Amino acid sequence: MSLVHVTDLTVEFGDLRAVDGLSFRLEEGAALALVGESGSGKSTVASALLGLHRGTGARVGGSVEVAGVDVPRASDDELRRLRGAKAAMVFQDPLSSLDPYYAIGDQIAEVYRVHTRASRRTARARAVEVLDRVGIPDAVRRSRSRPHEFSGGMRQRALIAMALACEPRLLIADEPTTALDVTVQAQILDLLHTLRAETGMGLLLVTHDVGVAAGSVDDVLVMRHGRAVEQGPVAAVLGAPGEAYTRELLAAVPRVDAPRAPSGPAGEVVLEARGLRREFGRGRKAFAAVDDVSLTVRRGETLGVVGESGSGKTTLGRMLVGLLEPTAGEVRHDGHARVGVNPAVQMVFQDPVSSLNPRRNVGESIADPIRARGERDEQRIRGRVKELLERVGLEGARYDRYPHEFSGGQRQRVGIARALAADPRVIVCDEPVSALDVTTQAQVVALLGELQRELGLALVFVAHDLAVVRQVSDRVAVMRRGRIVEQGPADEVYDSPRDPYTRQLLAAVPALDPRIAARRRAERGEVAVT
Amino acid sequence: MSGFTAFALRRAVSAVLTLLALSVIIYVVFYATPGNVAQITCGPRCSPEQVHQVAQQLRLDDPLYLRYWHFLQGIVAGHDYSTGTSVEHCPAPCLGLSYQSDQQVTRIILNKLPVSLSLVVGAMVLWLLLGVGTGVLSAWRRGRFTERALTGITLAGVATPVFVIGLVLMIVVCGQLELLPFPEYVSFSDDPEQWMWGLLLPWVTLALGEAAYFARLTRASMLETLAEDHIRTFRAYGVGERSIVGRHALRGALAPIIALNANDFGSAMGGAVLVESLFGLPGIGQELVHAVTVVDLPVVVGMVLVIGFFVVLANAVADVLYAVADRRVVLA
């Protein structure tokens, strides 16, 4: 009998059919990835395996069997005995998924006691054991820490430890590395890989990232609109996709090893930073988020700034547009020292949801920079905004619509239109596509490239995703702990990195080819920088 | 734990500074008023000689900041007042003399304080048990009949004025059913049992209205916590509903409860006038109303300072409790 056997599963929330007639099997000890873009229903499937929809008003049809339990028909008690003991789940955001008020060891011990009736002391010892198992150093002491005292990667390790506590037969991992940096992501995926080999448990990996799936599972199931598009062995599906959607999805995934199509010649220097430094905090708590950073951006070129969280890349971006004053050093526009905010340098923000005012229509948001320059003629403002909307691929008639009526990608287009409204020479994009699905990502990246060629814009592209940065950049600066560790033409930095940190970052990038992924995993054991 | 100690210390220092600021404001408001302060302080029946003596004791010839400094000295170190013929010693914390009742303000307050403390502390225990308990029950039984019934009852509790609750209780319990004698205050040191029987109805009266607020707050903030991701984690691990509600959700909901309780404790110390009057309790609230009515300035100033002290103290304790409940507070 299979470990997981799903037949004709449907899950409906009101009128919305999130999962529509899905069937699949997962054998004991095997690993399957559910891959799809947001809204494809993949996380809903994961929840359905544990019967988490019970009592929420969702309608579940079809049959779900997990470790011999008929989930839709099991009693509440049977379901509780399944959860955590036979099938355990690891969630996406490790900070919000742990109780902030209790020590991590106590939380794991609580779960262990629910299923084993063990004594407090035994349960606590078990918690330390599994924490040690997932690579938490000094597990006895750290088991007394609360979640906020752990780093993101350690929190995810702690959640995996909780999952291991009762030795489940199935591990369900719902986007387990999405909130993590690329080097930490690689560590967590390696950990899951080792644990699977050692314990023989089955793995169901839910992810939007084809690269994450490629290196971690045997089989893959591509989902779209709640249905299975294609399923089969990972090498076959990713190597020779049979369906048009799978091919589209794979084509949209940015490749870290594919050089960018060369852009036009770069012009004069439009933006320059000299010895930029920014400190936060005072006294002994002061630290430099950005430390002695110098760079130049020329007309018509894209400078990629890549780094992990906390590397100072966002702080740098904000100083470049004048949203933040540097503690030392200066920013020069067209060869002159900058005074205040300059409309010629604009910014596109990461989160297109929160960077647009939800109570104003998008036309008014785009018109802000135009009004700020003193334009008062309503007719002309409206005309210009419509022109901008069409320029970024939206209908001019949607001037009066509100942000919630747009999709994520469309909102980011609105954000770009707003930046263009000031007729900038430079646009600083801070993680402009990291909140978007890969196919949407590819469209927004293409739009930025088009605009750059047409308007001769200089772009500063700040991102954590090495592949996206390679796709768009002429030159690349790699940041770590506030400093630029390596800077140069993109091909040089990516193909023959000089700095060990750059090499470590590149080794951590998930590969689309399962064989390359396995080789990288082996290499990661060798490259290690602290 | 040193971060925690430092946090508690910082909080204590800021509490003291708040009190100092409060004392400055109160002193200036009452003693820098236009008109003859000595006459007002002494009362309408004072002779010119008495007014003159009061003016000397208040040092009205000194500039305001010196007079305030003098007042502060009295609180810290005590004072000697010369009455012409003899010297009256007012030990620290000396809040001055009430010329109208011919008593030291500190002594007046100390007489009333046990009554108010008895009333408020007892009621607080009751409103916390009742309010938080009801709130937890509503959150646990959310969407069912129990929750809707409890929501209705607490809404009625919030809407009913405290003197209505008190009057109805007194008429029914003491008048018609004769379960208790009409309440009378007996001090704890005299007879603990009588003390409790006498305060039972005042406690219930004060607590019922308050408990309704706590029930609503507890329910709302527990429902909020129950929607958080970490609750989902424990559900997905087979942890039972009782442990999820009683352990994880309640813990997450504690912070606003602690904050509301600090405020309500502080304000009830001087603000439970209605309950005090209704049950004839000689507490701080009643005394304050009396002092304001007859414009007994030293008593008003002293009372306001003492009430302020309790509000500031309650909030400082709440902040420290907050930090115990949620260690992340210490970092902020």
Side-chain angles (χ1 to χ4, degrees), chain B residues 91-162:
Chain B
C94 176
L95 292 166
L97 300 177
S98 162
Y99 300 96
Q100 300 191 17
S101 63
D102 215 10
Q103 278 192 65
Q104 293 180 8
V105 175
T106 310
R107 209 163 289 158
I108 298 178
I109 294 174
L110 280 180
N111 278 337
K112 311 288 179 187
L113 204 55
V115 184
S116 284
L117 272 176
S118 302
L119 172 66
V120 178
V121 171
M124 183 180 80
V125 172
L126 215 58
W127 81 50
L128 280 178
L129 286 177
L130 227 85
V132 176
T134 312
V136 171
L137 201 62
S138 319
W140 187 17
R141 296 271 148 191
R142 60 195 174 280
R144 303 192 205 179
F145 174 75
T146 323
E147 189 213 351
R148 281 197 290 276
L150 287 174
T151 307
I153 294 171
T154 53
L155 190 63
V158 170
T160 316
V162 68

Coordinates of all heavy atoms in Angstrom, one line a residue, chain B residues 91-162:
Chain B
P91 N 6.1 63.8 59.7 CA 7.1 62.9 59.2 C 7.0 62.6 57.7 O 5.9 62.8 57.2 CB 6.9 61.7 60.0 CG 5.5 61.7 60.4 CD 5.1 63.1 60.5
A92 N 8.1 62.2 57.1 CA 8.1 61.9 55.7 C 7.2 60.6 55.5 O 7.2 59.8 56.3 CB 9.5 61.6 55.2
P93 N 6.5 60.5 54.4 CA 6.3 61.5 53.4 C 5.2 62.5 53.8 O 4.1 62.2 53.9 CB 5.8 60.6 52.2 CG 5.1 59.5 52.9 CD 5.7 59.2 54.2
C94 N 5.7 63.8 53.9 CA 4.8 64.8 54.4 C 4.2 65.5 53.2 O 4.9 66.1 52.4 CB 5.5 65.8 55.3 SG 4.5 67.2 55.8
L95 N 2.9 65.5 53.1 CA 2.2 66.1 51.9 C 1.6 67.4 52.4 O 0.8 68.0 51.6 CB 1.1 65.2 51.4 CG 1.6 63.9 50.7 CD1 0.6 62.9 50.5 CD2 2.3 64.3 49.4
G96 N 2.0 68.0 53.6 CA 1.5 69.2 54.0 C 0.4 69.1 55.0 O 0.0 68.0 55.5
L97 N -0.2 70.3 55.4 CA -1.3 70.3 56.4 C -2.6 70.7 55.8 O -2.6 71.6 54.9 CB -0.9 71.3 57.5 CG 0.4 71.1 58.3 CD1 0.6 72.2 59.3 CD2 0.3 69.7 59.0
S98 N -3.6 70.1 56.3 CA -5.0 70.6 55.9 C -5.4 71.6 57.0 O -5.7 71.2 58.1 CB -5.9 69.4 55.8 OG -7.2 69.9 55.8
Y99 N -5.5 72.8 56.6 CA -5.9 73.8 57.6 C -7.3 73.8 57.9 O -7.8 74.2 59.0 CB -5.4 75.2 57.1 CG -4.0 75.3 56.9 CD1 -3.4 75.1 55.6 CD2 -3.1 75.5 58.0 CE1 -2.1 75.1 55.4 CE2 -1.7 75.5 57.8 CZ -1.2 75.3 56.5 OH 0.1 75.3 56.3
Q100 N -8.1 73.3 57.0 CA -9.6 73.2 57.2 C -10.0 72.2 58.2 O -10.9 72.3 59.0 CB -10.3 73.1 55.9 CG -10.0 74.2 54.9 CD -10.9 74.2 53.7 OE1 -11.9 73.6 53.7 NE2 -10.5 74.9 52.7
S101 N -9.3 71.0 58.1 CA -9.6 69.9 59.0 C -8.6 69.8 60.1 O -8.7 69.0 61.0 CB -9.8 68.6 58.3 OG -8.5 68.3 57.7
D102 N -7.5 70.7 60.0 CA -6.5 70.7 61.1 C -5.8 69.4 61.2 O -5.6 68.9 62.4 CB -7.1 71.1 62.4 CG -6.1 72.0 63.2 OD1 -5.1 72.3 62.6 OD2 -6.4 72.3 64.4
Q103 N -5.5 68.7 60.1 CA -4.8 67.4 60.2 C -3.7 67.4 59.1 O -3.7 68.2 58.2 CB -5.8 66.3 59.8 CG -6.7 65.8 61.0 CD -7.4 64.5 60.6 OE1 -6.7 63.5 60.4 NE2 -8.7 64.6 60.5
Q104 N -2.8 66.5 59.3 CA -1.8 66.3 58.3 C -2.4 65.5 57.1 O -3.1 64.5 57.3 CB -0.6 65.5 58.9 CG 0.2 66.3 59.9 CD 1.4 65.6 60.5 OE1 1.7 64.5 60.0 NE2 1.9 66.2 61.5
V105 N -2.1 66.0 55.9 CA -2.7 65.3 54.7 C -2.3 63.9 54.6 O -3.2 63.0 54.4 CB -2.2 66.1 53.4 CG1 -2.7 65.4 52.2 CG2 -2.7 67.5 53.5
T106 N -1.0 63.6 54.9 CA -0.6 62.2 54.9 C -1.5 61.3 55.8 O -1.9 60.2 55.4 CB 0.8 62.0 55.3 OG1 1.6 63.0 54.6 CG2 1.4 60.7 55.0
R107 N -1.8 61.8 56.9 CA -2.6 61.0 57.9 C -4.0 60.8 57.4 O -4.6 59.7 57.5 CB -2.6 61.7 59.3 CG -2.7 60.7 60.4 CD -2.4 61.3 61.7 NE -0.9 61.5 61.8 CZ -0.4 62.4 62.7 NH1 -1.1 63.1 63.5 NH2 0.9 62.5 62.8
I108 N -4.6 61.9 56.8 CA -5.9 61.7 56.2 C -5.9 60.6 55.1 O -6.8 59.7 55.1 CB -6.4 63.1 55.5 CG1 -6.4 64.2 56.5 CG2 -7.7 62.9 54.8 CD1 -6.8 65.5 56.0
I109 N -4.9 60.7 54.3 CA -4.9 59.7 53.2 C -4.7 58.3 53.7 O -5.3 57.3 53.3 CB -3.8 60.1 52.1 CG1 -4.1 61.4 51.5 CG2 -3.6 59.0 51.1 CD1 -3.1 61.9 50.5
L110 N -3.7 58.2 54.7 CA -3.4 56.9 55.3 C -4.7 56.2 55.9 O -4.8 55.0 55.9 CB -2.3 57.0 56.3 CG -0.9 57.0 55.7 CD1 0.2 57.1 56.7 CD2 -0.7 55.8 54.7
N111 N -5.6 57.1 56.4 CA -6.8 56.6 57.0 C -7.7 56.0 55.9 O -8.4 55.0 56.2 CB -7.6 57.7 57.7 CG -7.0 58.0 59.1 OD1 -6.4 57.1 59.7 ND2 -7.2 59.2 59.6
K112 N -7.7 56.6 54.7 CA -8.6 56.2 53.7 C -8.1 55.1 52.8 O -8.8 54.3 52.2 CB -9.0 57.4 52.8 CG -9.4 58.6 53.5 CD -10.7 58.4 54.1 CE -11.1 59.7 54.9 NZ -12.4 59.4 55.7
L113 N -6.7 55.0 52.8 CA -6.1 54.1 51.8 C -6.5 52.7 52.0 O -6.8 52.0 51.0 CB -4.6 54.3 51.9 CG -3.8 53.9 50.7 CD1 -4.3 54.7 49.5 CD2 -2.3 54.2 50.9
P114 N -6.5 52.1 53.3 CA -6.8 50.7 53.4 C -8.2 50.4 52.9 O -8.4 49.3 52.3 CB -6.8 50.5 54.9 CG -5.9 51.6 55.5 CD -6.1 52.8 54.5
V115 N -9.1 51.3 53.0 CA -10.5 51.1 52.5 C -10.4 50.9 51.0 O -11.0 49.9 50.4 CB -11.4 52.2 52.9 CG1 -12.8 51.9 52.5 CG2 -11.3 52.5 54.4
S116 N -9.8 51.9 50.3 CA -9.7 51.9 48.9 C -9.0 50.6 48.4 O -9.4 50.0 47.4 CB -9.1 53.1 48.3 OG -10.0 54.2 48.4
L117 N -7.8 50.3 49.0 CA -7.1 49.2 48.6 C -7.9 47.9 48.8 O -7.9 47.0 47.9 CB -5.8 49.1 49.4 CG -4.6 49.9 48.8 CD1 -3.4 49.8 49.7 CD2 -4.2 49.3 47.4
S118 N -8.6 47.8 49.9 CA -9.4 46.6 50.1 C -10.4 46.4 49.0 O -10.6 45.3 48.4 CB -10.2 46.7 51.4 OG -9.3 46.8 52.5
L119 N -11.1 47.5 48.7 CA -12.1 47.5 47.7 C -11.5 47.1 46.3 O -12.0 46.2 45.7 CB -12.8 48.8 47.6 CG -13.8 49.0 46.4 CD1 -15.0 48.1 46.7 CD2 -14.3 50.4 46.3
V120 N -10.5 47.8 45.9 CA -10.0 47.7 44.5 C -9.3 46.3 44.3 O -9.5 45.7 43.3 CB -9.1 48.8 44.1 CG1 -8.5 48.7 42.7 CG2 -9.9 50.1 44.2
V121 N -8.4 45.9 45.3 CA -7.7 44.7 45.1 C -8.6 43.5 45.1 O -8.5 42.7 44.2 CB -6.6 44.5 46.2 CG1 -6.0 43.1 46.1 CG2 -5.5 45.6 46.1
G122 N -9.6 43.5 46.0 CA -10.6 42.4 46.0 C -11.3 42.3 44.7 O -11.5 41.3 44.1
A123 N -11.8 43.5 44.3 CA -12.6 43.6 43.0 C -11.8 43.2 41.9 O -12.2 42.5 40.9 CB -13.1 45.0 42.8
M124 N -10.4 43.5 41.9 CA -9.6 43.2 40.8 C -9.5 41.7 40.6 O -9.5 41.1 39.5 CB -8.2 43.8 41.0 CG -7.3 43.6 39.8 SD -5.7 44.3 40.1 CE -4.9 43.1 41.1
V125 N -9.2 41.0 41.7 CA -9.1 39.5 41.7 C -10.4 39.0 41.0 O -10.4 38.1 40.1 CB -8.9 39.0 43.1 CG1 -9.0 37.4 43.1 CG2 -7.6 39.4 43.7
L126 N -11.5 39.5 41.4 CA -12.8 39.0 41.0 C -13.0 39.3 39.5 O -13.4 38.5 38.7 CB -13.9 39.7 41.8 CG -15.2 38.9 42.0 CD1 -14.8 37.6 42.8 CD2 -16.2 39.7 42.8
W127 N -12.7 40.6 39.1 CA -12.9 40.9 37.6 C -12.0 40.2 36.7 O -12.3 39.8 35.6 CB -13.0 42.4 37.4 CG -11.7 43.2 37.3 CD1 -10.6 42.9 36.5 CD2 -11.4 44.4 37.9 NE1 -9.7 43.9 36.6 CE2 -10.1 44.8 37.5 CE3 -12.1 45.2 38.8 CZ2 -9.5 46.0 37.9 CZ3 -11.5 46.4 39.3 CH2 -10.2 46.8 38.8
L128 N -10.7 39.9 37.2 CA -9.8 39.1 36.4 C -10.3 37.6 36.2 O -10.4 37.1 35.1 CB -8.4 39.1 37.0 CG -7.6 40.3 36.7 CD1 -6.2 40.3 37.4 CD2 -7.4 40.6 35.2
L129 N -10.7 37.0 37.3 CA -11.2 35.6 37.3 C -12.4 35.6 36.3 O -12.5 34.7 35.4 CB -11.6 35.1 38.7 CG -10.4 34.8 39.6 CD1 -10.9 34.4 41.0 CD2 -9.6 33.7 39.0
L130 N -13.3 36.4 36.6 CA -14.6 36.4 35.9 C -14.4 36.8 34.4 O -14.9 36.1 33.5 CB -15.6 37.4 36.6 CG -17.0 36.9 36.8 CD1 -17.0 36.2 38.2 CD2 -17.9 38.1 36.9
G131 N -13.7 37.9 34.2 CA -13.6 38.5 32.9 C -12.8 37.6 32.0 O -13.2 37.2 30.9
V132 N -11.6 37.2 32.5 CA -10.7 36.4 31.6 C -11.3 35.0 31.4 O -11.3 34.5 30.3 CB -9.3 36.3 32.2 CG1 -8.4 35.4 31.4 CG2 -8.7 37.7 32.3
G133 N -11.9 34.5 32.5 CA -12.5 33.2 32.4 C -13.6 33.2 31.3 O -13.7 32.3 30.4
T134 N -14.5 34.2 31.4 CA -15.6 34.3 30.4 C -15.0 34.4 29.0 O -15.5 33.8 28.0 CB -16.5 35.5 30.7 OG1 -16.8 35.5 32.1 CG2 -17.7 35.5 29.8
G135 N -14.0 35.3 28.8 CA -13.3 35.5 27.5 C -12.8 34.2 27.0 O -13.0 33.9 25.8
V136 N -12.1 33.4 27.8 CA -11.5 32.2 27.3 C -12.6 31.2 26.9 O -12.5 30.6 25.8 CB -10.6 31.5 28.4 CG1 -10.2 30.1 28.0 CG2 -9.4 32.4 28.7
L137 N -13.6 31.2 27.7 CA -14.7 30.3 27.3 C -15.4 30.7 26.0 O -15.7 29.8 25.2 CB -15.8 30.3 28.5 CG -16.7 29.1 28.6 CD1 -15.9 27.9 28.8 CD2 -17.8 29.4 29.6
S138 N -15.6 32.0 25.8 CA -16.2 32.4 24.5 C -15.3 32.1 23.3 O -15.7 31.7 22.3 CB -16.4 33.9 24.5 OG -16.9 34.4 25.7
A139 N -13.9 32.2 23.5 CA -13.0 31.9 22.4 C -13.0 30.5 22.1 O -12.9 30.0 21.0 CB -11.6 32.4 22.8
W140 N -13.1 29.7 23.2 CA -13.1 28.2 23.0 C -14.3 27.7 22.3 O -14.3 26.9 21.4 CB -12.9 27.5 24.4 CG -12.7 26.1 24.3 CD1 -12.3 25.4 23.2 CD2 -12.9 25.1 25.3 NE1 -12.2 24.0 23.5 CE2 -12.6 23.9 24.8 CE3 -13.3 25.3 26.7 CZ2 -12.6 22.7 25.6 CZ3 -13.3 24.1 27.5 CH2 -13.0 22.8 26.9
R141 N -15.4 28.3 22.7 CA -16.7 27.9 22.2 C -17.2 28.8 21.0 O -18.4 29.0 20.9 CB -17.8 27.9 23.3 CG -17.5 26.9 24.4 CD -18.1 25.6 24.1 NE -17.3 24.5 24.7 CZ -17.5 23.2 24.4 NH1 -18.4 22.9 23.5 NH2 -16.8 22.3 24.9
R142 N -16.2 29.3 20.3 CA -16.5 30.3 19.3 C -17.5 29.7 18.2 O -17.4 28.6 17.9 CB -15.3 30.8 18.6 CG -14.5 29.8 17.9 CD -13.1 30.3 17.6 NE -12.2 29.2 17.1 CZ -11.6 28.3 17.8 NH1 -11.7 28.4 19.1 NH2 -10.9 27.4 17.3
G143 N -18.5 30.6 17.9 CA -19.4 30.2 16.8 C -20.6 29.3 17.4 O -21.5 29.0 16.7
R144 N -20.5 29.0 18.7 CA -21.6 28.2 19.2 C -22.5 29.0 20.1 O -22.3 30.2 20.3 CB -21.1 27.0 20.0 CG -20.1 26.2 19.2 CD -19.8 24.9 19.9 NE -18.5 24.4 19.5 CZ -17.9 23.3 20.0 NH1 -18.5 22.7 20.9 NH2 -16.8 22.9 19.5
F145 N -23.6 28.3 20.6 CA -24.5 29.1 21.4 C -23.9 29.7 22.6 O -24.2 30.9 23.0 CB -25.6 28.1 21.9 CG -26.6 28.8 22.8 CD1 -27.6 29.7 22.3 CD2 -26.6 28.5 24.1 CE1 -28.4 30.3 23.1 CE2 -27.5 29.2 25.0 CZ -28.4 30.0 24.5
T146 N -23.0 29.0 23.3 CA -22.3 29.5 24.5 C -21.7 30.9 24.3 O -21.8 31.8 25.0 CB -21.2 28.5 25.0 OG1 -21.6 27.2 24.8 CG2 -20.8 28.8 26.4
E147 N -21.0 31.0 23.1 CA -20.3 32.2 22.8 C -21.3 33.3 22.6 O -21.2 34.4 23.1 CB -19.4 32.1 21.6 CG -18.6 33.3 21.4 CD -18.3 33.6 19.9 OE1 -18.7 32.8 19.0 OE2 -17.8 34.7 19.7
R148 N -22.4 33.0 21.9 CA -23.4 34.1 21.6 C -24.0 34.6 22.9 O -24.2 35.7 23.1 CB -24.4 33.6 20.6 CG -23.9 33.7 19.2 CD -25.0 33.6 18.2 NE -25.6 32.3 18.1 CZ -25.1 31.3 17.4 NH1 -24.0 31.4 16.7 NH2 -25.7 30.1 17.4
A149 N -24.3 33.6 23.8 CA -25.0 33.9 25.0 C -24.0 34.8 25.9 O -24.4 35.9 26.4 CB -25.4 32.7 25.8
L150 N -22.8 34.4 26.0 CA -21.8 35.1 26.8 C -21.6 36.5 26.2 O -21.5 37.5 26.9 CB -20.5 34.4 26.8 CG -20.5 33.1 27.7 CD1 -19.1 32.4 27.6 CD2 -20.7 33.5 29.2
T151 N -21.5 36.6 24.9 CA -21.3 37.9 24.2 C -22.5 38.9 24.6 O -22.3 40.0 25.0 CB -21.3 37.8 22.7 OG1 -20.3 36.8 22.4 CG2 -20.9 39.1 22.1
G152 N -23.7 38.3 24.6 CA -24.9 39.1 25.0 C -24.8 39.6 26.4 O -25.0 40.8 26.7
I153 N -24.4 38.7 27.3 CA -24.3 39.0 28.7 C -23.3 40.1 29.0 O -23.5 41.1 29.7 CB -24.0 37.8 29.6 CG1 -25.2 36.8 29.5 CG2 -23.7 38.1 31.0 CD1 -24.9 35.4 30.1
T154 N -22.1 39.9 28.4 CA -21.1 40.9 28.6 C -21.4 42.3 28.0 O -21.1 43.3 28.6 CB -19.7 40.5 28.0 OG1 -19.9 40.1 26.6 CG2 -19.1 39.3 28.7
L155 N -22.1 42.3 26.9 CA -22.6 43.5 26.3 C -23.5 44.2 27.3 O -23.4 45.4 27.6 CB -23.3 43.3 25.0 CG -23.6 44.6 24.2 CD1 -22.3 45.3 23.8 CD2 -24.4 44.2 23.0
A156 N -24.4 43.5 27.9 CA -25.3 44.0 28.9 C -24.5 44.6 30.1 O -24.8 45.6 30.7 CB -26.3 43.0 29.4
G157 N -23.4 43.8 30.5 CA -22.6 44.3 31.6 C -21.9 45.6 31.3 O -21.8 46.5 32.2
V158 N -21.4 45.7 30.1 CA -20.7 47.0 29.7 C -21.7 48.1 29.7 O -21.4 49.3 30.1 CB -20.1 46.8 28.3 CG1 -19.6 48.2 27.8 CG2 -18.9 45.9 28.4
A159 N -23.0 47.8 29.4 CA -23.9 48.9 29.2 C -24.6 49.3 30.5 O -25.2 50.4 30.6 CB -25.0 48.4 28.2
T160 N -24.5 48.5 31.6 CA -25.2 48.8 32.8 C -24.4 49.7 33.7 O -23.2 49.3 34.0 CB -25.6 47.5 33.6 OG1 -26.1 46.6 32.6 CG2 -26.6 47.8 34.6
P161 N -24.9 50.9 34.1 CA -24.1 51.7 35.0 C -23.9 51.0 36.3 O -24.7 50.2 36.8 CB -25.0 52.9 35.2 CG -26.0 52.9 34.2 CD -26.2 51.4 33.8
V162 N -22.7 51.3 36.9 CA -22.3 50.6 38.1 C -23.3 50.8 39.3 O -23.5 49.9 40.1 CB -20.9 51.0 38.5 CG1 -20.8 52.4 38.9 CG2 -20.3 50.1 39.5

